[in-house]
């Protein structure tokens, strides 16, 4: 049995729905389908998830919501009309859309989660109705029904272990099972969503929970590429890669997957095939355990991310100070900040952060507390910071990789602030100025491909 997940662009309108239905019905083993909310139909369009967020904001601001409700309903109505689905089969959708603002929520965060989640919820129910209308037996599976349990973090939930016990008890026949992506249910019965892009997470959870032989993730690209096509013309299409290569690349900017999305599939040892809804017969990219992988190239992929900042500290004999790291961690914990990396030298230390959790006030408070606790000779923030990841199973125990990387960028006057190689020896991380990141990716790509 295969679990098949479709992204928002794959389900944006009726014509895309036709492609999805053709894919699902062309292979009897594609029994489980995970839906995203309808995405953009054209460049200037608005995703349904964003429309639902606007609906929630209108409601919280005590504004009239009838117009935004009508726009949201019309997106699903347009899809239904493509298949000549009787109008009375959408009455429930209009009612449930209105009832979203009539329910009681623990707080505004849970309200937002519930509103957002209904993009996927409505799309899964609509796809089920259309399949049955076309004579294809299908069953909608509500996360509440199957017991897809998540933590009580309304807009950044994580799956709970009890979920997999609940999946073991789930009974089904030969019908197509249609799951809404992006959300689960807390122990208190409230809807909580995964972080943005969370339908990928749902797909991986369901694939593990139902012991799928394969998790097919359909997107709008033919494969995962060795570098961003916006930076490198016609980059190498990766045919096979490992789970851990995908995780390393996702962390630093690969946009095919949310960086936590494939963890449940990894834990269940379910292979993943990334494919294109518009070209479903193309092989795509297979993601497999490293034990089953033979690398054909030294480097599999190169990517960069510019959403970082760094705090630089200099103090003579810094490395001799007992408990120094503990003091820093306690200060960060006090202010609710997590760090990404902390490379250090004899007298120097750099702490790298995701910018999204930093405010001017937090930076000022952290600086003040570190000065008081450590009395550094120098302390400064670097806001113009990017991380570049060079990843490949073929790098393991290979001599000369670092030399080729350094030469590729030093020949173009790009300065490196930090170098860090992972313990697995399949990744090398560089720190550079944000302005240099795109060029660095391009030159490193040219050195290896």
């Amino acid at each position: 049995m295969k679990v098949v997940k479709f992204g928002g662009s794959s389900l944006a309108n009726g014509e895309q729905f036709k492609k999805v239905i053709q894919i699902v019905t062309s292979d009897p083993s594609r029994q489980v389908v995970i839906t995203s909310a309808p995405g953009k139909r054209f460049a200037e369009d608005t995703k349904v998830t964003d429309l639902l967020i606007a609906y929630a904001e209108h409601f919280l601001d005590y504004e009239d919501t009838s117009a935004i409700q009508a726009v949201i309903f019309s997106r699903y109505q347009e899809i239904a009309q493509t298949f000549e689905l009787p109008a009375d089969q959408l009455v429930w959708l209009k009612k449930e859309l209105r009832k979203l603002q009539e329910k009681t929520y623990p707080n505004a965060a849970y309200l937002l989660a519930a509103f957002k989640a209904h993009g996927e919820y409505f799309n899964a129910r609509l796809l089920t109705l259309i399949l049955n209308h076309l004579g294809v037996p299908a069953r909608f599976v509500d996360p509440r029904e199957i017991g897809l349990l998540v933590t009580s973090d309304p807009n950044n939930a994580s799956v709970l272990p009890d979920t997999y016990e609940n999946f073991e008890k789930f009974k089904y026949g030969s019908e197509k099972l249609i799951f809404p992506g992006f959300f689960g249910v807390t122990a208190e019965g409230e809807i909580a969503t995964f972080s943005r892009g969370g339908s990928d997470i749902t797909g991986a959870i369901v694939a593990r929970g139902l012991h799928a032989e394969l998790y097919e993730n359909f997107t709008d690209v033919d494969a995962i590429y060795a570098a961003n096509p916006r930076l490198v013309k016609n980059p190498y299409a990766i045919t096979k890669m490992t789970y851990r290569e995908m995780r390393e690349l996702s962390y630093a900017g690969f946009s095919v997957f949310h960086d936590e999305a494939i963890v449940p599939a990894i834990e269940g040892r379910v292979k993943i095939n990334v494919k294109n809804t518009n070209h479903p017969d193309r092989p795509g990219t297979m993601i497999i355990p490293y034990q089953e992988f033979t690398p054909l190239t030294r480097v599999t992929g190169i990517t960069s991310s510019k959403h970082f900042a760094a705090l630089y500290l200099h103090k003579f004999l810094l490395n001799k100070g007992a408990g120094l790291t503990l003091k820093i961690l306690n200060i960060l914990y006090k202010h609710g900040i997590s760090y990404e990396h902390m490379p250090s030298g004899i007298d120097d230390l750099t702490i790298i952060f995701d910018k999204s959790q930093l405010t001017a006030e937090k930076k000022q408070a952290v600086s003040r507390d570190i000065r008081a606790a450590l009395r550094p000779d120098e302390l400064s923030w670097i806001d113009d910071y990017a991380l570049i990841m060079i990843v490949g199973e073929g790098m393991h125990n290979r001599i000369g990789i670092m030399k080729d990387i350094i030469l590729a960028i030093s020949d173009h006057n790009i300065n490196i602030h930090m170098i860090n190689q992972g313990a697995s020896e399949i990744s090398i991380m560089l720190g550079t100025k944000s302005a240099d990141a795109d060029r660095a990716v391009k030159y490193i790509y040219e050195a290896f491909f």
Side-chain angles (χ1 to χ4, degrees):
M1 177 259 284
K2 297 176 183 176
V3 170
V4 190
K5 177 262 175 182
F6 293 95
S9 60
S10 300
L11 293 164
N13 56 31
E15 292 305 310
Q16 288 299 110
F17 257 67
K18 288 181 181 179
K19 296 176 185 178
V20 165
I21 291 168
Q22 173 61 30
I23 290 168
V24 171
T25 56
S26 67
D27 183 348
S29 67
R30 287 174 174 149
Q31 187 177 1
V32 182
V33 181
I34 313 296
T35 64
S36 299
K40 290 186 177 183
R41 296 162 294 182
F42 44 87
E44 297 78 22
D45 199 15
T46 304
K47 297 177 181 179
V48 165
T49 300
D50 291 327
L51 291 172
L52 286 161
I53 291 171
Y55 177 19
E57 291 171 346
H58 279 40
F59 174 67
L60 290 170
D61 291 338
Y62 301 99
E63 297 174 1
D64 180 65
T65 61
S66 55
I68 192 73
Q69 286 186 57
V71 171
I72 295 167
F73 178 76
S74 70
R75 290 293 300 272
Y76 295 99
Q77 184 182 46
E78 176 188 313
I79 295 168
Q81 288 173 343
T82 302
F83 298 91
E84 298 181 354
L85 194 69
D88 61 1
Q89 291 200 37
L90 285 187
V91 172
W92 63 271
L93 197 158
K94 186 172 284 189
K95 287 182 178 178
E96 292 204 25
L97 189 59
R98 185 183 67 252
K99 285 182 179 179
L100 278 173
Q101 62 185 16
E102 298 172 1
K103 295 179 180 178
T104 302
Y105 303 94
N107 52 47
Y110 274 107
L111 180 146
L112 178 61
F115 275 60
K116 286 191 301 182
H118 275 72
E120 281 74 10
Y121 175 82
F122 291 149
N123 229 18
R125 287 190 62 178
L126 179 58
L127 178 59
T128 306
L129 287 171
I130 291 170
L131 286 170
N132 284 316
H133 177 67
L134 297 174
V136 180
R139 171 184 170 189
F140 170 73
V141 183
D142 193 311
R144 286 164 282 214
E145 171 194 353
I146 198 170
L148 203 168
L149 299 176
V150 297
T151 56
S152 299
D153 190 347
N155 293 284
N156 191 25
S158 300
V159 66
L160 292 173
D162 289 353
T163 290
Y164 299 111
E165 296 178 17
N166 296 335
F167 269 75
E168 294 292 343
K169 303 170 189 174
F170 181 60
K171 305 297 182 186
Y172 56 93
S174 59
E175 73 275 21
K176 302 291 185 183
L177 304 175
I178 316 300
F179 286 75
F182 192 33
F183 74 96
V185 184
T186 68
E188 296 76 28
E190 298 292 339
I191 286 175
T193 63
F194 303 115
S195 54
R196 198 72 182 262
S199 290
D200 291 328
I201 300 177
T202 302
I205 291 168
V206 174
R208 175 187 170 183
L210 296 181
H211 307 289
E213 64 182 84
L214 182 66
Y215 169 31
E216 292 183 310
N217 192 297
F218 280 86
T219 66
D220 55 3
V221 295
D222 286 338
I224 297 172
Y225 295 100
N228 189 334
R230 290 192 293 269
L231 303 180
V232 174
K233 186 177 180 180
N234 299 321
Y236 175 78
I238 302 167
T239 54
K240 282 187 179 180
M241 65 191 307
T242 65
Y243 295 137
R244 58 185 186 175
E245 285 178 324
M246 187 71 244
R247 283 276 291 153
E248 295 274 8
L249 289 165
S250 294
Y251 167 75
F254 255 45
S255 59
V256 173
F257 278 116
H258 179 291
D259 69 333
E260 297 176 5
I262 62 174
V263 171
I266 294 171
E267 293 169 340
R269 296 184 68 82
V270 180
K271 294 179 181 179
I272 302 168
N273 194 185
V274 178
K275 294 172 74 75
N276 191 341
T277 304
N278 302 309
H279 305 118
D281 295 330
R282 295 180 183 176
T285 301
M286 285 292 297
I287 306 173
I288 62 177
Y290 75 90
Q291 296 92 337
E292 302 175 25
F293 181 74
T294 301
L296 301 178
T297 58
R298 292 184 297 166
V299 169
T300 297
I302 305 130
T303 188
S304 65
S305 184
K306 303 174 186 177
H307 60 84
F308 296 101
L311 178 61
Y312 169 72
L313 304 176
H314 174 82
K315 180 181 174 69
F316 287 115
L317 302 178
L318 185 74
N319 66 328
K320 298 293 184 182
L324 177 141
T325 304
L326 179 59
K327 290 177 183 178
I328 292 174
L329 293 177
N330 281 333
I331 291 169
L332 298 181
Y333 177 76
K334 171 185 171 183
H335 296 288
I337 300 172
S338 61
Y339 75 97
E340 302 293 325
H341 303 280
M342 198 183 293
S344 63
I346 297 172
D347 301 320
D348 306 273
L349 181 145
T350 303
I351 312 168
I352 301 170
F353 304 93
D354 185 325
K355 275 186 182 179
S356 64
Q357 60 182 329
L358 295 176
T359 62
E361 293 75 18
K362 281 190 175 183
K363 288 166 67 175
Q364 188 175 25
V366 167
S367 299
R368 181 190 63 240
D369 289 354
I370 287 178
R371 282 194 176 98
L374 305 181
R375 301 192 180 281
D377 300 315
E378 183 180 345
L379 182 153
S380 60
W381 284 93
I382 307 169
D383 293 317
D384 178 23
Y385 207 90
L387 292 181
I388 297 166
M389 292 290 290
I390 303 97
V391 177
E393 296 283 353
M395 291 165 54
H396 184 68
N397 288 333
R398 293 285 289 270
I399 296 171
I401 298 286
M402 187 70 76
K403 179 197 75 173
D404 291 343
I405 293 170
I406 300 301
L407 285 176
I409 55 180
S410 62
D411 284 350
H412 295 88
N413 298 316
I414 296 174
N415 189 35
I416 301 171
H417 296 308
M418 179 271 292
I419 300 174
N420 184 26
Q421 182 164 27
S424 65
E425 296 185 23
I426 71 158
S427 67
I428 293 173
M429 178 185 294
L430 307 179
T432 69
K433 289 183 176 181
S434 296
D436 291 332
D438 291 349
R439 291 194 304 128
V441 169
K442 179 181 176 181
Y443 298 135
I444 295 169
Y445 176 88
E446 290 171 355
F448 289 96
F449 294 92

